[in-house]
Amino acid sequence: MERSFESYDPLRDPSMRPSPFQAYVRVQFGCDKFCTYCVVPTTRGPEQARPPEHIAAEVRHLAAEGCKEVTLLGQTVNSYRFREGTGGRSGCRT
């Protein structure tokens, strides 16, 4: 699971940020919703959450570079849940 995030979120050069003080951090990718109009579940696969310690480490790295504002990204950020030993999959949610 960890390697799958590398392809989506390589460490970016600070010049690629909206401003020197803002950054985006992906906390999950994929989706379990299968809305009729959306291709995300098919193209990116099931929802996977990134381990919290990896997110915190990236945010600390950004803060050390002078970042003051971080926006957490994911297809359905409100459903973020990480369960150890599941590869980031949180199982079925209603």
Side-chain angles (χ1 to χ4, degrees), residues 8-83:
Y8 287 100
D9 284 320
L11 283 177
R12 293 177 185 89
D13 186 88
S15 67
M16 295 177 67
R17 293 188 207 140
S19 86
F21 309 107
Q22 296 174 295
Y24 298 103
V25 173
R26 185 174 305 276
V27 298
Q28 67 185 101
F29 69 89
C31 187
D32 293 338
K33 306 262 185 269
F34 290 95
C35 300
T36 58
Y37 54 84
C38 186
V39 299
V40 171
T42 306
T43 58
R44 294 196 178 165
E47 192 173 280
Q48 293 181 50
R50 191 172 171 197
E53 59 273 9
H54 293 191
I55 297 166
E58 184 173 350
V59 170
R60 281 192 294 273
H61 176 82
L62 291 165
E65 290 182 344
C67 188
K68 304 277 184 207
E69 178 183 311
V70 172
T71 302
L72 302 178
L73 297 178
Q75 193 66 32
T76 51
V77 173
N78 289 342
S79 67
Y80 173 86
R81 240 179 247 171
F82 182 80
R83 294 199 181 137

